[in-house]
Amino acid sequence: MQLRSLLGLAFILLLAGCATRPVNPPITQTDTRAGYRFEVRQPRIEGRNNDTLVILAFSGGGTRAASFSYGVLEFLRNTQITDGKGRTVRLLDHVNLITGVSSGSFTALAYGLYGEKLFDDYEKRFLKRDVQGEILSRTLSPFNWSKLGSTGYGRSELASQLYDEILFDGATFGDLARAQGPMILASATDLSTGARFVFSQGYFDVICSVLGAVHLSRAAAASSAVPVVLSPVTLNNYGGTCNMGLPEWTKPFLDAPEPPRPAARAVRTLKATAAYGDGVNRPYLHLVDGGVADNLGMRGVLDGLEIMQALSLSGRPSRLDGVQRIVVLVVNSMSSPRTNWDESEQPPGSVPTMLKAAGTPIDATSYENVEQLKDMSAEWRKLRLIGKSTAIASNSDPAVAEALRVPDAEIYAIDVSFAALTDKAEFEYLNEQPTSFVLPAEAVDRLRAAAGKIILASPEFQRLLKDIGAEVVDDAATRQ
């Protein structure tokens, strides 16, 4: 009888069958005038000012990060300002671009897909749900064991299915392209090289594939595939089969023996991206958590600004020449919970040591990226000031004129992080929240509320309001 039961169970498991991972389809010819890319999308977005570029960068950090970034969206949605012309506008309506890494990609992608509808049920569908427990339950279910044993199918594919069911409703990047919201850039990390991989048609052009057919849930799964805990997400690479050529503006950077400063880091990114085109030797890409390469989603923003500055120095036009203001809200949910390790002669065990060793360089890189953005803002402002001074007005040295040539855009680097909280008790509470896909409802609500308070108190945010002659007439943070 027991044998019969075991045979029955085995038969049921076989019926579940082996699973195959989704395969991203190939293209035979690239078209830079189509697809989900910023250059195509931006002219179609209604209600955005062409002279102001507003970017939100959502970091990773589990439900802590998803809640904190959602709080930023709530604040921008509920905050109205009067501009210098007397018009009353919502801040959220002027966002052009959102980058999302790891759990930050869930909030970014969901907002890009649903827009205003996101605020109806995001808490219930995702933030206040034990997503971590549901992933574990599916992983341990015997009915999924045969799937997990299939080639290229791992725990992240199970997670992707869950994300599809509870949040994305089967939507693809084709659906995202038809939405009217800002451009959303979710990023992962190429396990082989450690380079960023961004879910945009520009990157998919390099691997000669169609982004529009890819499910948003797979992008979120790849962006949040914590190494070891979750499996890599695999993409097919058809690079070299679609006559893909690099954009004209990249030639001064890639063809020169010495890349023009200050774009050397951006050139490294361009070369890493171009390397994905070797589909013969790299027919598959294995993607893991985007936080491994860039936990703030800031590297692409910094690369773009560096290229903009390098093109300005060399007298070449850039795609952002008409922009007067670049507003970047860096939404960083990094936490550093206190430990009592130094109170004991006995060092911590292997697992906490490995976690700390992995997290420390990521946190350090995040700090450097924020400071680099602030330094760039200060440098551009200083050089413009010098260039307009009477001491330089009579200058006839072309080398001096070139050295002072910077983009006209003013950068506003708004740092939205726990460290900006003035309430020490609130800081300590939020800083102790773990990086996991489940948090108490109270923690979710306090993270959401803190985001708005931090933005409103930010000196950079206040400088922006002053410079554009605007003032806040209604905001959620002051009512909480």
Side-chain angles (χ1 to χ4, degrees):
M1 191 68 179
Q2 186 177 7
L3 177 61
R4 200 175 291 174
S5 299
L6 290 173
L7 289 174
L9 176 60
F11 179 69
I12 292 173
L13 293 177
L14 285 173
L15 285 179
C18 295
T20 56
R21 63 175 175 82
V23 175
N24 48 297
I27 55 174
T28 56
Q29 182 65 52
T30 60
D31 182 359
T32 58
R33 299 165 299 177
Y36 193 67
R37 63 183 91 228
F38 188 77
E39 301 88 337
V40 172
R41 184 168 188 77
Q42 187 60 19
R44 299 178 183 173
I45 298 175
E46 301 176 357
R48 269 71 174 180
N49 288 332
N50 293 329
D51 61 355
T52 302
L53 179 65
V54 180
I55 302 170
L56 309 181
F58 292 165
S59 79
T63 300
R64 184 184 68 248
S67 301
F68 196 50
S69 57
Y70 180 60
V72 169
L73 293 179
E74 287 184 305
F75 172 79
L76 297 178
R77 175 186 185 237
N78 297 329
T79 301
Q80 294 183 331
I81 64 170
T82 55
D83 61 17
K85 298 179 180 179
R87 297 172 299 186
T88 300
V89 296
R90 290 194 322 171
L91 293 177
L92 186 58
D93 295 332
H94 291 273
V95 174
N96 305 88
L97 172 68
I98 305 177
T99 68
V101 174
S102 194
S103 49
S105 70
F106 288 84
T107 305
L109 289 167
Y111 176 67
L113 177 65
Y114 297 118
E116 286 291 316
K117 294 180 181 178
L118 179 73
F119 301 100
D120 295 335
D121 55 11
Y122 189 49
E123 295 173 56
K124 179 181 178 181
R125 297 185 73 176
F126 192 75
L127 297 181
K128 296 181 179 179
R129 187 175 189 139
D130 186 359
V131 177
Q132 185 167 294
E134 293 184 53
I135 294 175
L136 180 61
S137 177
R138 294 191 180 204
T139 302
L140 297 178
S141 171
F143 292 96
N144 290 321
W145 291 349
S146 58
K147 294 180 181 179
L148 293 172
S150 304
T151 301
Y153 194 102
R155 295 180 298 282
S156 285
E157 297 299 344
L158 284 181
S160 175
Q161 288 182 350
L162 174 65
Y163 306 151
D164 222 1
E165 294 168 16
I166 68 175
L167 185 59
F168 294 112
D169 298 328
T172 65
F173 276 90
D175 298 309
L176 190 63
R178 286 185 284 274
Q180 290 301 307
M183 180 79 185
I184 309 297
L185 295 178
S187 61
T189 302
D190 173 32
L191 185 59
S192 176
T193 65
R196 287 186 312 120
F197 185 90
V198 181
F199 282 82
S200 71
Q201 188 56 54
Y203 271 72
F204 271 67
D205 280 351
V206 180
I207 66 171
C208 296
S209 184
V210 182
L211 174 64
V214 176
H215 283 251
L216 301 184
S217 60
R218 287 204 87 212
S223 187
S224 59
V226 178
V228 181
V229 177
L230 291 166
S231 60
V233 170
T234 300
L235 296 180
N236 284 44
N237 184 2
Y238 314 99
T241 64
C242 60
N243 300 313
M244 190 270 175
L246 293 173
E248 187 71 23
W249 63 266
T250 65
K251 290 185 177 180
F253 302 100
L254 296 178
D255 295 346
E258 282 293 327
R261 307 299 299 184
R265 286 179 292 264
V267 169
R268 182 174 182 268
T269 299
L270 290 172
K271 290 181 177 179
T273 305
Y276 289 130
D278 184 10
V280 173
N281 294 305
R282 302 182 65 191
Y284 303 101
L285 299 180
H286 305 289
L287 306 179
V288 296
D289 195 302
V292 175
D294 173 20
N295 198 45
L296 288 184
M298 279 295 298
R299 191 63 256 164
V301 175
L302 292 170
D303 287 347
L305 294 176
E306 288 180 345
I307 289 173
M308 183 180 179
Q309 182 175 357
L311 289 172
S312 178
L313 281 170
S314 60
R316 296 182 175 91
S318 82
R319 293 172 292 179
L320 299 177
D321 280 346
V323 175
Q324 297 176 16
R325 290 172 291 274
I326 299 174
V327 183
V328 185
L329 280 79
V330 186
V331 186
N332 183 7
S333 69
M334 182 190 77
S335 66
S336 302
R338 291 177 297 177
T339 70
N340 59 356
W341 296 347
D342 295 340
E343 297 174 8
S344 171
E345 183 179 357
Q346 182 69 23
S350 299
V351 173
T353 298
M354 285 190 295
L355 291 174
K356 193 68 174 178
T360 297
I362 291 176
D363 293 345
T365 300
S366 296
Y367 173 81
E368 291 298 330
N369 284 345
V370 174
E371 292 304 308
Q372 185 182 344
L373 178 65
K374 293 178 180 179
D375 289 345
M376 190 178 297
S377 172
E379 180 188 9
W380 288 15
R381 197 180 317 126
K382 177 181 67 177
L383 291 176
R384 279 196 302 269
L385 181 64
I386 295 173
K388 294 176 182 178
S389 69
T390 55
I392 298 295
S394 59
N395 170 67
S396 59
D397 187 342
V400 173
E402 179 181 341
L404 294 174
R405 193 183 297 142
V406 291
D408 291 330
E410 182 75 21
I411 300 174
Y412 299 86
I414 302 173
D415 185 0
V416 188
S417 60
F418 300 159
L421 285 168
T422 56
D423 186 331
K424 185 177 180 181
E426 191 67 4
F427 166 78
E428 291 179 351
Y429 176 83
L430 299 183
N431 190 54
E432 291 296 323
Q433 298 308 312
T435 301
S436 68
F437 265 141
V438 56
L439 284 181
E442 179 190 0
V444 170
D445 291 338
R446 289 172 70 168
L447 285 159
R448 292 163 52 204
K453 295 175 182 176
I454 293 169
I455 296 173
L456 197 60
S458 165
E460 274 291 271
F461 179 68
Q462 293 300 325
R463 182 171 76 90
L464 169 65
L465 294 179
K466 180 180 178 182
D467 288 354
I468 63 176
E471 62 180 13
V472 175
V473 293
D474 187 27
D475 74 271
T478 57
R479 298 195 298 270
Q480 293 172 344

